Each structure stands twice: as C-alpha cells, then as structure tokens.
Amino acid sequence: QVQLVESGGGLVQAGGSLRLSCAASGRTFSISTMGWFRQAPGKEREFVAGISRSGGRTAYADSVKGRFTISRVRVNAENTVFLQMNSLKPEDTAVYYCAADRSGSYPPSSSRDLYNYWGQGTQVTVSS
C-alpha cells in the first residue's frame, strides 16, 4: 500500500502564495504519475496539476496555468510532490488532495478515476 500525506495549506490573502507538499510512504516504487486535485464546498473534485514519473512532463488545469507549478523529488525511497501556488485568488479556496497512480499515464491524466491512491487533503483558504 501507499500512504500520501499533504501539508502546507493555510489561510492567505488574495495575491499571496502557498507551497503544498505531499510525502509518499509505503510501496513508493509502485507510484508513477502524481497529481493534485481540489474540491470546493458543493463542487466536484477537480484536477489541478499532474506530473509524470520522471518529472519531465506536467499538465495543468486552465484555471491555474501560469500561476501554479508542480514539481517532484524522487531520491531512493523518497517520493515527494510539491505544488507552488502563486497569485492566489479567492476561487482557489478548496481542500487540496494529493493523488498517485500505478499505471503511469502520459501525459499526466486529469481523470480522478485513474488515480489509485489519495491523501486526506489540506485546506487552502484565500481571502479577498
């Protein structure tokens, strides 16, 4: 099994920045593509960004392109993915979830059905 633990959420003013982290543990060798999703109150969970196993390919939702950057560190058993969020807007307020898949979608898939493992989520609140 794989466990994903997110951190770095919080309250920030519009225009500010936050950096989310997601640390994977367990059978991390089985992890391929990783991604971030978010879910606002009353809305469905939506894709934010994804990154391939090597880190060489990324994908972003149109709503975050140019503002968010996903990156990844894989060293031995360590497998951590980051989401740098700049120029935050109130509409970015949501619970952010880290996800990982085994199949290695390339480019990274935006479909949550393809992701096998999920974290518990971290709250991001952007005030106006």
Side-chain angles (χ1 to χ4, degrees), residues 4-10 18-23 36 80-83 85 96 98 121-124:
L4 303 175
V5 178
E6 304 98 335
S7 61
L18 281 175
R19 189 186 193 217
L20 304 183
S21 300
C22 172
W36 289 95
T80 306
V81 65
F82 304 95
L83 186 68
M85 305 186 295
Y96 283 71
C98 176
T122 185
Q123 176 70 46
V124 171

Side-chain angles (χ1 to χ4, degrees), residues 25-38:
S25 61
R27 300 170 64 88
T28 58
F29 61 87
S30 67
I31 292 175
S32 188
T33 300
M34 296 187 74
W36 289 95
F37 288 73
R38 67 186 181 187

Side-chain angles (χ1 to χ4, degrees), residues 12-124:
V12 65
Q13 288 189 331
S17 298
L18 281 175
R19 189 186 193 217
L20 304 183
S21 300
C22 172
S25 61
R27 300 170 64 88
T28 58
F29 61 87
S30 67
I31 292 175
S32 188
T33 300
M34 296 187 74
W36 289 95
F37 288 73
R38 67 186 181 187
Q39 188 167 17
K43 295 187 176 182
E44 290 192 354
R45 193 172 298 189
E46 63 176 5
F47 174 77
V48 175
I51 189 165
S52 64
R53 183 182 181 90
S54 68
R57 185 70 182 264
T58 58
Y60 296 92
D62 289 342
S63 59
V64 307
K65 281 181 182 176
R67 300 188 298 123
F68 291 11
T69 302
I70 189 170
S71 60
R72 183 172 186 171
V73 172
R74 292 178 63 237
V75 178
N76 297 324
E78 177 187 348
N79 204 331
T80 306
V81 65
F82 304 95
L83 186 68
Q84 178 66 43
M85 305 186 295
N86 298 328
S87 302
L88 282 161
K89 305 175 181 180
E91 50 263 46
D92 294 319
T93 295
V95 177
Y96 283 71
Y97 296 91
C98 176
D101 83 358
R102 296 189 298 260
S103 63
S105 58
Y106 194 90
S109 175
S110 61
S111 172
R112 59 189 179 189
D113 293 338
L114 294 183
Y115 289 82
N116 309 103
Y117 307 110
W118 293 86
Q120 293 300 305
T122 185
Q123 176 70 46
V124 171

